[in-house]
Amino acid sequence: GHLIQSFGPRGEGPGEFQSVLGVSTAGPTNDVWAFDPSSEKMTRLDSSSRIMARPRIVSLDVPGRVTRAIAFGSTGFIAMQMANGDSGHIVLTSSEGRVTHSSAWPLLGADSVPRLERLKASGAAFSASLCAPPDGSALALVYSSAGRVDIFDAMGRHLRAAEVPFPSQPVFSTGRDGGLKASRPRFWYSGCAATPRHIYALFAGRLESAFTATTVGLSEFVHQFDWSGKLVRVVHLDQPVSAIAVSADELTLYAVSE
């Protein structure tokens, strides 16, 4: 649990970050990549300070706005794209960040809800999280605004929703203008990790009002699914955590606690 090395001071230069929204591993060498949503760049992290002095940085050349991105397999990255105000796609890119494939993901909410509000609930930066096994064989998407876990194939095409124990749709409240607006009275899934065999979804399931400013999203349960969407087991952690990772042999669960 001791700090070995830190990466990237705040800034806009090579190896610097304005913010970091997710760290992922992929490929046969388990390269570690960090996503900066402010610049829409992926930066490869390495324990060698010599390499970090000249880090590998990939700008994601994706139209619209990228809200989430992770390393995916050995060939590139996969990202959540919001474009044209009300359009959302799962986008695969090459290792140089160029789009190679795009698939629409299923938006949460009923058709009667404005599409933009459905998109906010489904794919805004803090509404959803992506995870994939290092080999890039599949993809999972979990939502903080709904009791739902979606499963995609290696091309980003939607396959099925997992059999979550507490299924729910997001809540849309009436705004001052009388229209429906995305809201989140209850916090559902705060993140996920994946292996070639299983999805591990970090579950809170608590009312938003039960959190403080420093505990939002902290979760005590992990829902384990296989890639067919079947719930395998529920793990109750002995303390709330904000993020998880799983060893390749699935014998060890790593977590970030406050």
Side-chain angles (χ1 to χ4, degrees):
H2 299 291
L3 177 65
I4 297 175
Q5 186 173 355
S6 297
F7 300 102
R10 183 176 294 275
E12 300 181 11
E16 299 176 341
F17 302 97
Q18 298 179 58
S19 62
V20 175
L21 191 58
V23 175
S24 54
T25 61
T29 58
N30 281 328
D31 289 339
V32 180
W33 293 84
F35 171 59
D36 186 339
S38 300
S39 60
E40 298 189 356
K41 293 180 179 180
M42 301 291 296
T43 299
R44 188 177 66 185
L45 309 180
D46 195 287
S47 59
S48 167
S49 60
R50 177 181 62 83
I51 294 179
M52 279 305 295
R54 300 176 60 186
R56 169 86 189 281
I57 299 173
V58 178
S59 296
L60 299 178
D61 187 15
V62 177
R65 182 162 63 95
V66 176
T67 58
R68 289 274 185 173
I70 59 173
F72 193 64
S74 59
T75 58
F77 309 98
I78 195 162
M80 297 182 69
Q81 172 208 40
M82 296 176 68
N84 302 324
D86 62 356
S87 175
H89 291 81
I90 297 292
V91 177
L92 276 72
T93 79
S94 66
S95 58
E96 291 78 32
R98 292 188 291 270
V99 175
T100 58
H101 187 79
S102 177
S103 298
W105 83 77
L107 296 184
L108 302 176
D111 291 341
S112 58
V113 177
R115 188 173 176 84
L116 178 58
E117 298 304 316
R118 295 176 65 195
L119 187 61
K120 290 178 180 178
S122 306
F126 296 101
S127 296
S129 297
L130 295 168
C131 58
D135 63 1
S137 56
L139 174 73
L141 178 60
V142 304
Y143 305 92
S144 66
S145 58
R148 183 180 173 101
V149 174
D150 280 317
I151 298 173
F152 301 79
D153 67 12
M155 296 300 292
R157 294 178 293 238
H158 184 254
L159 298 177
R160 64 188 68 89
E163 299 171 3
V164 298
F166 306 106
S168 74
Q169 285 290 328
V171 173
F172 297 91
S173 57
T174 304
R176 292 183 178 181
D177 60 359
L180 294 174
K181 305 292 183 182
S183 62
R184 190 179 60 196
R186 187 177 294 273
F187 202 107
W188 294 97
Y189 290 98
S190 56
C192 62
T195 70
R197 295 180 59 203
H198 295 110
I199 303 161
Y200 295 81
L202 187 57
F203 179 80
R206 298 168 61 192
L207 291 173
E208 192 89 9
S209 58
F211 295 104
T212 66
T214 58
T215 64
V216 173
L218 291 183
S219 309
E220 298 180 31
F221 295 89
V222 176
H223 294 168
Q224 181 183 355
F225 305 92
D226 63 24
W227 285 100
S228 72
K230 180 181 178 181
L231 180 66
V232 176
R233 64 172 175 165
V234 175
V235 178
H236 186 194
L237 307 177
D238 60 5
Q239 60 181 300
V241 303
S242 59
I244 56 171
V246 181
S247 63
D249 59 10
E250 300 190 73
L251 294 179
T252 305
L253 178 75
Y254 301 93
V256 177
S257 62
E258 298 301 309

